[in-house]
Amino acid sequence: MLELDRGQVQVMLRSMGEPAYRADQLWQWVWSKGARDFQEMTNISKALRARMEQEFSLGRPRIRALLTSVDGTVKFLLELSDQEQIESVLIPEKGHYTQCLSTQAGCPMGCIFCSTGRMGFRRNLSSGEIAAQILTARDYLREQGADPARLRNIVLMGMGEPLLNWEAVRRGLLTITDPLGLGFSRRRATLSTVGIRGRLQEFGRSRLAMLAVSLHAPDQDLRRSLMPGAAAWEIRDLVGALEEYPLDPRERITVEYVMFRGINDSPAQARELVRLLSRVKCKVNLLACNPVEDSSFQPPGLERISDFEQILRSKGLTVTLRRSRGQDIMAACGQLYVEVKQTSPGDRGDMQQVKDHGRMTNGSLNNC
Ligand code: SF4
């Protein structure tokens, strides 16, 4: 059932002789009210409920493991119907939550600082698997006695490159932003991408969510060495597309720049970044990388970050310094997957609560 879009539900119910409004009722039960059982749908006839039960499932990704950070960040390891596993992260903010969704199991882009990139690509997620991560998080909040309506922001920044799975992402975003579906405002939904030629423009035309672009370097050579999969689109051409990207008057593109000590954190590189972005309507998110196991990447010192930030600000760029969340629970995409695979050889199917994990890893929630 979660794989159908609203139009398909309408066509299906019409062919069963049901009135047009029935599709909206069913759709609201599935997505807005988060029904787990057709029998909950009390304004739908018993006969139709029985028929739906026979023909469809409301199955959603199963929580295989759950890690809670000391800062309140919750990381779900979710198992899909074919036993493939993905991560989804729930981040508490002031008065609300943000959820980071995965769009692929693994990722083919091969960014060398990213745990998911090291996993390689497993498969694309379906539109239902993308949107249902939100149902799982809402269920969790309900179980914890929290108001699921406080989950207000979503970011497509988890495992995978969303624009390589554009059709499923597009359909998932339609459900996510549908007022009768999951009901998120488009301004509270952000898609983070390394930039895929053609798809970026298509996404811009769709107006389905805000755009964040992972740059991480001010020049093509460095970017290619850090993000080999992204190098097919030359950085100047990518930035040229950002200059033309359709935005409402008050909107800006978010440029993500993860800082690595001695690699992309020099004053000269800050000036180069300023020049590169001089005609892009954007704000820059700086985030110091965190140490990753089996990796030589280190975060720059505070002074180095501050100098870099000041150069950007002094040239008129809007800059935010992002805080890492969930460092103690291996919040980097892919890390949890690897760990659970190693420690849970059987299909235990139970929920695992791990606190104060204590291993230092890449705490960035956004690998992209
Ligand atoms: S950083 Fe993003 S695009 Fe790069 S390998 Fe990781 S998940 Fe894929």
Side-chain angles (χ1 to χ4, degrees):
M1 191 80 211
L2 304 184
E3 298 309 329
L4 301 180
D5 60 35
R6 187 134 70 99
Q8 289 171 315
V9 173
Q10 283 164 351
V11 170
M12 177 185 74
L13 290 183
R14 207 178 304 131
S15 73
M16 292 177 177
E18 293 288 335
Y21 64 83
R22 194 73 75 217
D24 287 351
Q25 287 177 325
L26 183 62
W27 185 257
Q28 277 180 297
W29 275 112
V30 173
W31 290 107
S32 180
K33 300 178 189 172
R36 304 182 66 106
D37 190 320
F38 287 105
Q39 294 312 322
E40 292 175 39
M41 304 179 181
T42 46
N43 57 358
I44 290 176
S45 71
K46 279 188 181 169
L48 181 58
R49 278 186 259 160
R51 184 163 175 193
M52 300 303 290
E53 211 160 48
Q54 273 182 350
E55 294 183 22
F56 295 99
S57 145
L58 291 172
R60 47 183 79 169
R62 194 168 63 96
I63 298 176
R64 176 80 193 278
L66 183 148
L67 301 180
T68 307
S69 163
V70 289
D71 69 16
T73 300
V74 178
K75 183 162 179 167
F76 305 99
L77 177 74
L78 302 177
E79 187 169 272
L80 307 175
S81 56
D82 61 354
Q83 278 76 54
E84 198 57 76
Q85 295 176 355
I86 56 163
E87 298 173 0
S88 203
V89 181
L90 190 59
I91 307 143
E93 319 256 13
K94 281 184 197 141
H96 69 276
Y97 291 88
T98 294
Q99 188 178 7
C100 180
L101 308 179
S102 290
T103 55
Q104 298 181 308
C107 182
M109 299 307 279
C111 303
I112 61 172
F113 51 85
C114 171
S115 309
T116 305
R118 289 192 215 154
M119 277 173 63
F121 177 66
R122 313 268 308 187
R123 73 165 170 85
N124 282 328
L125 301 195
S126 67
S127 58
E129 288 168 338
I130 294 166
Q133 293 169 58
I134 297 170
L135 294 179
T136 301
R138 284 183 174 174
D139 286 348
Y140 170 80
L141 289 172
R142 221 173 271 120
E143 281 162 19
Q144 299 297 307
D147 180 1
R150 285 175 60 207
L151 172 47
R152 293 212 194 105
N153 295 338
I154 60 116
V155 289
L156 275 59
M157 291 184 180
M159 298 168 81
E161 164 49 60
L163 294 185
L164 287 182
N165 186 18
W166 170 234
E167 185 48 26
V169 166
R170 187 188 69 78
R171 295 181 68 217
L173 281 171
L174 282 172
T175 301
I176 289 168
T177 55
D178 182 347
L180 296 185
L182 288 163
F184 284 80
S185 133
R186 101 176 240 284
R187 285 176 179 270
R188 291 184 173 273
T190 301
L191 179 148
S192 177
T193 176
V194 303
I196 305 294
R197 194 198 306 264
R199 298 275 173 81
L200 182 89
Q201 292 89 339
E202 212 175 314
F203 169 64
R205 286 192 293 274
S206 79
R207 315 287 294 153
L208 281 170
M210 308 307 289
L211 172 66
V213 174
S214 303
L215 213 55
H216 308 330
D219 67 83
Q220 175 69 4
D221 287 347
L222 179 56
R223 193 163 191 259
R224 183 191 293 114
S225 68
L226 291 171
M227 309 163 73
W233 204 4
E234 217 273 336
I235 193 167
R236 293 207 169 271
D237 295 336
L238 165 61
V239 169
L242 298 183
E243 290 169 3
E244 319 235 302
Y245 189 82
L247 293 166
D248 286 347
R250 297 182 63 185
E251 289 175 358
R252 284 161 193 259
I253 297 165
T254 301
V255 171
E256 305 279 0
Y257 195 96
V258 175
M259 298 182 71
F260 306 100
R261 187 195 300 170
I263 294 175
N264 64 354
D265 62 343
S266 73
Q269 286 165 316
R271 287 189 283 274
E272 210 175 339
L273 186 62
V274 169
R275 278 195 295 277
L276 187 69
L277 297 176
S278 62
R279 282 154 32 106
V280 180
K281 205 173 151 205
C282 67
K283 60 181 179 191
V284 179
N285 263 353
L286 293 179
L287 176 73
C289 79
N290 288 288
V292 184
E293 285 176 22
D294 308 324
S295 163
S296 56
F297 290 112
Q298 295 294 322
L302 289 180
E303 204 174 319
R304 189 85 162 165
I305 295 172
S306 172
D307 289 349
F308 197 96
E309 180 192 1
Q310 283 315 316
I311 292 169
L312 266 48
R313 282 191 196 282
S314 70
K315 302 295 181 189
L317 278 169
T318 303
V319 186
T320 49
L321 272 178
R322 256 186 42 208
R323 223 162 25 111
S324 287
R325 304 292 296 272
Q327 290 188 5
D328 55 324
I329 56 166
M330 308 177 79
C333 297
Q335 291 274 2
L336 176 61
Y337 171 60
V338 172
E339 168 141 307
V340 171
K341 290 286 274 190
Q342 286 170 347
T343 56
S344 303
D347 181 15
R348 301 191 312 200
D350 54 349
M351 197 179 282
Q352 185 185 14
Q353 184 88 3
V354 182
K355 294 201 178 185
D356 297 322
H357 198 278
R359 286 173 71 181
M360 198 63 180
T361 62
N362 182 353
S364 166
L365 294 167
N366 172 14
N367 273 332
C368 296

